[in-house]
Amino acid sequence: MDRKEILFDGYFYDVTDFVKRHPGGSIIEYYTKSGEDSTHAIQQFHHRSTGRVRSIMSSMKKRPAPDGENVAVLKKNRALSEDFTKLYLQLEKEGYFKPSYVHNILRMAELFLMTAVGYVLLQSHHMPVRFVGIFLLGLMQGRSGWIQHESGHHSFSGNPKFDRFFHAIIFGIGLGLSSTWWTRGHNRHHAMPQRLHYDVDLETMPLLAYNSKVVKNPKAGKGFMVQNQVLLFALMDTCIGTLLWKLYLHPRFVLRHKYYLQMGSMMAHYVLAYQIGFWPWLASTWVMSVYLFVNFALNHTFLPVTTEPTHWVEYSLIHTADVEQRPWCDWWMGYLNYQIEHHLFPTMPQFRHPLIKDRVKALADKHNIPYVVHSYSEALQKTFKNLSDVAKELKHL
């Protein structure tokens, strides 16, 4: 059997027997490939469980990484790694990774208020008022998506056990989805954003294609959905994808793995859906899907893809971008307009990202790496122009 090793902090660790037991799933295998360095990924993904990780790794066989053996990337990026780690340790010391319970209570209160007002407005006999109620319920689901994202990164309460529990509850009740299914895919995205064959967020066929390189069959790129994706993305694609998750992929996943807490939370979502009726539920689901997925698309989809091993900092600065660093956008995008900062420090509470942006920009400037911030309108234009350009490119392949 071939041995599998990961490179961490100048040593190769034998993870052959650990791969199948890795709590985070198959993502660990990404770092067993030649030329990959897992140092910053382990450092950032496991910020809140450093002791446990060190204990596990101390039981593994290890060997020094000799010069010339898959460590050219270490030498090339030594200064960048040192500066990034220095910044990380400074931010940790200054308390930027600590959650705020007041902030969390206010966000949850907002969800309950939107739910209550939306439900009351749905009881009206006036259709415009009912539409406002549907919009509020859709917005509530979308904003619970921002909170589930936070808890999925263990940055909501800062307690991994509680955050996993809360993640299952908020994602199940708020959106009718499985927290474990989402986490496994989302962590793969965070590991290597915009990396072909690694980043699951690029796997959107046959509905649409963010980049022509993800289309394996030229005929698929000439299909109706892809050729009209600039029109269908917000109108249909986001909702179709959401319904596929809600009604098939996620229920099948929790049943197969017997995740009873997630199963019960997802059932509670449909109990609440029954209270408002099928058509209001479907319409609010469409509002939620457009709100979430269009905003998600603004940070990555039009940026370059890669096939090569890339430094953790370069993934964040070259393959993600920030959007409109202003308070209104912070609220509207749930602080995920600071996508660069979020990818650098995924376990940092996201409301703290505006406070560190200048220090991240200074790091980028020091190493001559672009730090890109688009206005909201510019990000929208780039997103939809990219969809149009990709469709035209595929049409002539």
Side-chain angles (χ1 to χ4, degrees):
M1 179 173 60
D2 293 335
R3 309 305 294 175
K4 295 181 178 180
E5 295 181 313
I6 59 171
L7 179 62
F8 174 76
D9 203 17
Y11 287 87
F12 282 107
Y13 288 79
D14 188 333
V15 295
T16 308
D17 299 325
F18 180 69
V19 165
K20 291 184 178 179
R21 295 184 286 112
H22 180 234
S26 62
I27 185 176
I28 189 174
E29 299 206 50
Y30 282 10
Y31 296 99
T32 63
K33 312 300 182 184
S34 177
E36 300 292 353
D37 179 12
S38 69
T39 302
H40 295 302
I42 291 175
Q43 177 193 77
Q44 296 304 318
F45 278 133
H46 301 294
H47 164 76
R48 300 190 187 280
S49 52
T50 302
R52 183 185 177 199
V53 171
R54 293 284 183 180
S55 176
I56 292 172
M57 295 187 74
S58 67
S59 67
M60 297 175 179
K61 293 180 180 180
K62 70 176 184 177
R63 61 186 178 87
D67 290 343
E69 186 177 348
N70 297 327
V71 292
V73 67
L74 275 180
K75 291 184 176 181
K76 171 181 176 290
N77 294 312
R78 182 165 292 154
L80 179 59
S81 293
E82 289 176 354
D83 286 343
F84 172 68
T85 298
K86 181 179 179 181
L87 174 61
Y88 160 62
L89 293 175
Q90 287 174 340
L91 295 174
E92 182 183 41
K93 183 178 180 180
E94 293 170 22
Y96 284 96
F97 286 84
K98 294 180 180 178
S100 165
Y101 297 109
V102 172
H103 176 81
N104 293 340
I105 289 170
L106 290 175
R107 291 181 76 175
M108 291 303 299
E110 177 192 66
L111 293 188
F112 286 121
L113 181 62
M114 283 184 174
T115 303
V117 174
Y119 182 78
V120 169
L121 294 181
L122 270 182
Q123 312 312 308
S124 172
H125 296 292
H126 301 284
M127 192 57 67
V129 176
R130 288 174 60 84
F131 280 142
V132 174
I134 288 171
F135 175 78
L136 281 176
L137 290 176
L139 188 62
M140 176 277 297
Q141 292 181 69
R143 295 192 65 74
S144 69
W146 302 140
I147 293 178
Q148 74 80 20
H149 179 275
E150 187 100 43
S151 56
H153 282 290
H154 302 162
S155 57
F156 187 72
S157 74
N159 183 314
K161 288 185 178 180
F162 176 82
D163 277 345
R164 279 192 290 271
F165 170 80
F166 183 72
H167 192 200
I169 298 295
I170 191 71
F171 206 25
I173 296 177
L175 291 97
L177 299 172
S178 162
S179 57
T180 303
W181 189 98
W182 179 89
T183 299
R184 290 183 179 181
H186 190 65
N187 284 344
R188 289 168 60 193
H189 160 70
H190 263 270
M192 298 178 181
Q194 296 294 95
R195 177 87 174 265
L196 289 173
H197 314 303
Y198 289 80
D199 184 355
V200 297
D201 285 10
L202 291 171
E203 298 172 8
T204 54
M205 290 293 290
L207 285 179
L208 73 157
Y210 294 129
N211 190 288
S212 62
K213 293 178 181 178
V214 305
V215 181
K216 300 176 182 178
N217 183 350
K219 289 185 179 179
K222 295 178 174 63
F224 175 81
M225 296 298 290
V226 174
Q227 284 302 304
N228 293 279
Q229 63 183 8
V230 70
L231 297 175
L232 299 178
F233 175 54
L235 184 65
M236 289 179 55
D237 291 344
T238 57
C239 192
I240 291 173
T242 298
L243 292 175
L244 178 65
W245 282 12
K246 279 177 175 281
L247 302 178
Y248 177 64
L249 291 177
H250 287 233
R252 184 184 67 167
F253 178 82
V254 296
L255 287 170
R256 177 181 296 174
H257 294 280
K258 299 179 181 179
Y259 292 139
Y260 297 116
L261 176 61
Q262 295 176 43
M263 202 181 301
S265 298
M266 292 164 68
M267 291 174 64
H269 173 84
Y270 291 104
V271 170
L272 296 175
Y274 179 79
Q275 300 301 314
I276 67 172
F278 175 76
W279 291 111
W281 170 81
L282 184 61
S284 65
T285 297
W286 178 80
V287 171
M288 175 271 289
S289 65
V290 173
Y291 173 56
L292 279 183
F293 287 102
V294 170
N295 279 317
F296 277 138
L298 304 183
N299 297 298
H300 297 287
T301 57
F302 52 85
L303 294 172
V305 297
T306 182
T307 59
E308 300 298 325
T310 304
H311 192 277
W312 180 265
V313 175
E314 292 176 325
Y315 271 128
S316 301
L317 287 164
I318 296 173
H319 299 288
T320 70
D322 279 9
V323 179
E324 195 86 34
Q325 297 173 331
R326 299 172 67 184
W328 75 265
C329 197
D330 298 354
W331 178 85
W332 178 247
M333 294 185 67
Y335 294 98
L336 287 179
N337 48 324
Y338 297 91
Q339 197 72 191
I340 293 171
E341 290 74 13
H342 174 57
H343 271 263
L344 287 173
F345 308 109
T347 63
M348 179 183 288
Q350 289 150 28
F351 76 95
R352 299 198 187 277
H353 292 155
L355 305 175
I356 69 167
K357 61 183 176 63
D358 293 337
R359 293 160 80 170
V360 170
K361 186 178 186 304
L363 174 70
D365 290 343
K366 181 177 179 179
H367 292 274
N368 297 313
I369 307 174
Y371 178 88
V372 179
V373 183
H374 298 296
S375 69
Y376 192 82
S377 61
E378 184 180 25
L380 280 172
Q381 291 169 11
K382 286 181 174 291
T383 297
F384 283 91
K385 184 178 185 302
N386 177 66
L387 291 171
S388 177
D389 291 345
V390 171
K392 290 176 182 177
E393 182 180 352
L394 291 170
K395 184 176 182 179
H396 296 98
L397 284 181

